[in-house]
Amino acid sequence: GAVVSQHPSWVICKSGTSVKIECRSLDFQATTMFWYRQFPKQSLMLMATSNEGSKATYEQGVEKDKFLINHASLTLSTLTVTSAHPEDSSFYICSARPTGLGNQPQHFGDGTRLSIL
Amino acid sequence: GESVGLHLPTLSVQEGDNSIINCAYSNSASDYFIWYKQESGKGPQFIIDIRSNMDKRQGQRVTVLLNKTVKHLSLQIAATQPGDSAVYFCAEVKGLGFQKLVFGTGTRLLVSP
């Protein structure tokens, strides 16, 4: 149980293209999902917290107009990298926290590797 | 500023040895810590967690120790296997409601047969 699926797993596109990444909780509902970015040989850095039915909360230094987040249902959050440039190339990982009582751990997807040419 | 960091970037061990991965944290107000394992090209996988009111917690082949006095966390893996090779992160949980994670820099564990 508690599977989080990301799609696509790998995308290569030209500079200036907008790219949408999906994060789905397959067997549980998630009011809150998180988006992380991970550069090679570095740790995960939280970009934003996605809340179902409301605006995402972005971490300091993350451009909300650059990284659009939509959390329209309890099982799906999307991250759109708008007008992507080579410096946006990274490994993007989402996680989902099951809705319910108590503190339940986040479950992570297997990431999306984004390469901008 | 606040940070969660690791002492060793790479740890090489022989199969069957016990491994110890260390983590230092700076926010004494944190009340929950998690260890994750990340294999190449995949997302982090939950290993074990510990609350600040505990000193030790054991799982299957893994033990986490928490020393709040020196703000130190460790992950012990018994009888390390080649399948344990991965990058291990400690994470500090901020905000019990939303579980906002702050990840450490990571330690790569290499297990030789």
Side-chain angles (χ1 to χ4, degrees), chain B residues 28-96:
Chain B
S28 58
S30 296
D31 57 4
Y32 184 46
F33 301 88
I34 306 174
W35 279 101
Y36 286 96
K37 172 186 180 182
Q38 186 180 27
E39 296 177 319
S40 181
K42 295 190 175 182
Q45 177 184 358
F46 175 92
I47 300 173
I48 193 168
D49 58 2
I50 188 168
R51 295 194 179 279
S52 61
N53 61 354
M54 302 171 68
D55 296 324
K56 179 179 180 179
R57 191 167 187 214
Q58 287 185 293
Q60 187 176 13
R61 283 203 304 120
V62 294
T63 301
V64 55
L65 300 178
L66 176 62
N67 186 330
K68 295 181 288 294
T69 303
V70 296
K71 289 184 276 188
H72 183 268
L73 195 69
S74 69
L75 176 70
Q76 300 179 3
I77 304 174
T80 314
Q81 303 168 0
D84 294 327
S85 294
V87 178
Y88 290 81
F89 294 97
C90 66
E92 174 186 9
V93 179
K94 294 184 176 181
L96 289 177

Side-chain angles (χ1 to χ4, degrees), chain A residues 58-71:
Chain A
Y58 291 82
E59 294 300 301
Q60 190 173 9
V62 178
E63 299 176 58
K64 63 179 181 180
D65 295 328
K66 172 77 173 177
F67 299 98
L68 301 179
I69 291 173
N70 183 277
H71 193 155

Side-chain angles (χ1 to χ4, degrees), chain A residues 96-117:
Chain A
R97 178 175 174 269
T99 301
L101 298 176
N103 293 312
Q104 300 189 50
Q106 296 176 30
H107 300 282
F108 286 82
D110 274 341
T112 296
R113 188 162 302 283
L114 176 62
S115 296
I116 308 298
L117 304 179

Side-chain angles (χ1 to χ4, degrees), chain A:
Chain A
V3 176
V4 175
S5 174
Q6 270 186 252
H7 179 79
S9 57
W10 193 14
V11 58
I12 302 174
C13 59
K14 294 181 179 180
S15 183
T17 306
S18 292
V19 179
K20 180 185 283 188
I21 303 170
E22 293 186 347
C23 179
R24 294 181 184 273
S25 56
L26 297 186
D27 49 2
F28 65 96
Q29 294 183 331
T31 304
T32 305
M33 293 185 176
F34 302 86
W35 287 97
Y36 297 83
R37 180 167 52 185
Q38 185 178 33
F39 292 106
K41 298 184 180 180
Q42 293 189 24
S43 187
L44 284 77
M45 296 297 295
L46 179 65
M47 298 174 65
T49 302
S50 172
N51 301 298
E52 187 269 336
S54 64
K55 292 183 179 180
T57 304
Y58 291 82
E59 294 300 301
Q60 190 173 9
V62 178
E63 299 176 58
K64 63 179 181 180
D65 295 328
K66 172 77 173 177
F67 299 98
L68 301 179
I69 291 173
N70 183 277
H71 193 155
S73 77
L74 288 172
T75 59
L76 174 64
S77 175
T78 61
L79 169 69
T80 301
V81 184
T82 61
S83 187
H85 292 285
E87 58 266 28
D88 298 321
S89 298
S90 189
F91 193 48
Y92 291 86
I93 306 173
C94 73
S95 70
R97 178 175 174 269
T99 301
L101 298 176
N103 293 312
Q104 300 189 50
Q106 296 176 30
H107 300 282
F108 286 82
D110 274 341
T112 296
R113 188 162 302 283
L114 176 62
S115 296
I116 308 298
L117 304 179

